[in-house]
Amino acid sequence: QRDNTARLLIDEVATLALELALAEKRRELAAGQVTLNQELVRISDERFKADDIPELELNLARVEFARAESRLLEVERERIPLRIKLASLSGLKENDISVPDTFNTRKQSQNTQELVKKSLASRPDLLALMREHDKAETETRLAGAEALPNLTAGLFVQWQRGSTEVGGMSSTGSDTQLGLRLSMPIPLFDRNQGGRAAARARLDAADSRRLALERSIIAEVESAASRLSASEKILEQYEKGIIPQLTENLKLTQEAYRIGEVGILSVIDEQKKFFEVNDGYLSALHSRRAACVKLETAVASELTGGV
């Protein structure tokens, strides 16, 4: 039970640490958005002074810069309660909390059947129920044994005095007898039926709880493994196709606006798509690491290191 409590506590702390890490990454993304919009304001101001754009475009650039700063402040506020909660849960001081960058850390896992087998052998809550089942089996055997009569053995010693008369003459004597006495009650009505029924009920209940937990563990491992596999596929799409192309499009649009080939709305729209997609990418990274944590919790064992 202690080990199972530790397993659940590790899961809770790791999950909260991932939430804080996601908030940190979003703060970095929001800070990058502020930098890009600051640069957009600078370019718009230069073009406005050169009478290349109307004042409306400069104002739009300033509005986007203000919105980016507001977004940064919102993300900063989101981090504070997470740090306080993590400090309370871990027993650390808030200033001592340092969340490592684990988003890009990948771990390789075995196939699902091997993970299920490992979880059934190492889950402390299942081991506790197995101990309870063994205890119930012992109690059932004991109740059955108590239904049988007990053979009682005992030693006894007794003295006998006797007299003999022969021809008007009598004599007395004493004999010492040493013996073994055996006794066994014959149970006609009480065969410990109540004790045997209660022990059997406890055994059946323990067996039902064990089987139910085994099914729950199998489902938990399979579900976590499925989520981890799905998140890996989503990340592969982000990393191989979406993010590189979107980054290139943003650079081209910014350069086109600088030389006057496109309007500011095109830049604003491209920047919005860039940060929305990158926020989705961070969420996908978080989902993969969260699925990994849940799988480790379900298996009650750390997955092997990967790339």
Side-chain angles (χ1 to χ4, degrees), residues 6 56 68 74 94 98 113 123 144 151 169 212 238 271 282 293:
L56 176 62
E74 290 177 2
E94 187 177 346
S98 177
Q113 294 302 320
R123 278 281 291 260
L151 180 64
M169 300 180 64
Y238 271 107
Q271 287 186 168
L282 290 179
V293 168

Side-chain angles (χ1 to χ4, degrees), residues 86-118:
L86 186 57
S88 175
L89 189 62
S90 63
L92 298 173
K93 294 181 179 180
E94 187 177 346
N95 294 333
D96 296 335
I97 294 177
S98 177
V99 179
D101 184 8
T102 60
F103 267 24
N104 293 320
T105 302
R106 297 188 180 183
K107 294 187 176 183
Q108 299 173 345
S109 63
Q110 300 166 318
N111 63 58
T112 304
Q113 294 302 320
E114 291 177 342
L115 291 172
V116 168
K117 184 178 179 181
K118 182 183 292 186

Side-chain angles (χ1 to χ4, degrees), residues 43 133 143 151 156 167 194 223 236 243 272:
I43 295 174
H133 182 270
L151 180 64
F156 69 90
S223 177
E236 186 177 359
I243 297 297
K272 285 182 178 179

Side-chain angles (χ1 to χ4, degrees), residues 51-62:
D51 292 329
D52 193 25
I53 59 172
E55 186 178 2
L56 176 62
E57 290 198 11
L58 177 59
N59 291 336
L60 287 174
R62 288 171 175 170

Side-chain angles (χ1 to χ4, degrees), residues 262-296:
V262 297
I264 193 171
L265 293 179
S266 297
V267 182
I268 292 174
D269 184 60
E270 201 63 38
Q271 287 186 168
K272 285 182 178 179
K273 287 191 294 184
F274 178 80
F275 286 103
E276 286 175 359
V277 171
N278 271 275
D279 188 72
Y281 175 60
L282 290 179
S283 296
L285 285 171
H286 172 267
S287 297
R288 182 191 64 189
R289 289 294 297 130
C292 184
V293 168
K294 293 301 180 184
L295 184 57
E296 290 180 333

Side-chain angles (χ1 to χ4, degrees), residues 36 43 249-258 267 271:
L36 280 181
I43 295 174
N249 290 346
L250 179 60
K251 290 180 179 179
L252 293 175
T253 305
Q254 289 173 330
E255 180 62 22
Y257 176 71
R258 190 183 66 82
V267 182
Q271 287 186 168

